[in-house]
Amino acid sequence: MRFGRKEKLSLRYVGPYEILQCVGKVAYELALPVELASVNPIFHVSMLKKCLRDVTLILPLEGLGVDEDLSYVEVPVKILDIQFKRLRNKEIVTVNVLCRIHLVEGATWEGDADMRSRYPHIFSS
């Protein structure tokens, strides 16, 4: 169910909210916040969306160095691979960089010259 303005890019769902009890076969009572006190807390099952939480994707904020505006600086840790691409007249070197917060699957390809100028310490080993 949509709440608030009915525009093209408005949110389709709000929540997630806890299910308090099952009311009948296809209706559920939800624990809604105070802002939605004017809304009836009993919803038909077709108006609800299942919320799956993957606990492996939740990272603790303590050791990440997250700022007040929820941003952080990615610090490269290791070079995983080097790739040489030949264009017509020049050769472009890119490196696969593993950052401190990401997994190996999240490593990105960056330009070699840019990485050497910004982070020379990761090329020394």
Side-chain angles (χ1 to χ4, degrees), residues 48-97:
L48 302 176
K49 184 176 181 182
K50 189 174 186 179
C51 177
L52 299 176
R53 293 189 183 184
D54 189 1
V55 293
T56 60
L57 298 176
I58 299 173
L59 296 174
L61 292 178
E62 287 79 34
L64 296 180
V66 177
D67 296 335
E68 291 295 322
D69 61 349
L70 298 179
S71 64
Y72 63 92
V73 177
E74 291 188 348
V75 179
V77 177
K78 184 178 174 185
I79 302 294
L80 299 177
D81 194 12
I82 297 177
Q83 188 177 57
F84 299 94
K85 291 186 179 180
R86 180 86 178 145
L87 296 178
R88 292 182 186 196
N89 296 355
K90 63 181 180 178
E91 189 174 80
I92 297 176
V93 182
T94 56
V95 290
N96 196 0
V97 180

Side-chain angles (χ1 to χ4, degrees), residues 99-116:
C99 290
R100 178 181 62 188
I101 298 172
H102 299 288
L103 302 173
V104 175
E105 295 82 20
T108 58
W109 289 95
E110 305 289 338
D112 179 62
D114 181 44
M115 292 302 292
R116 281 189 191 273

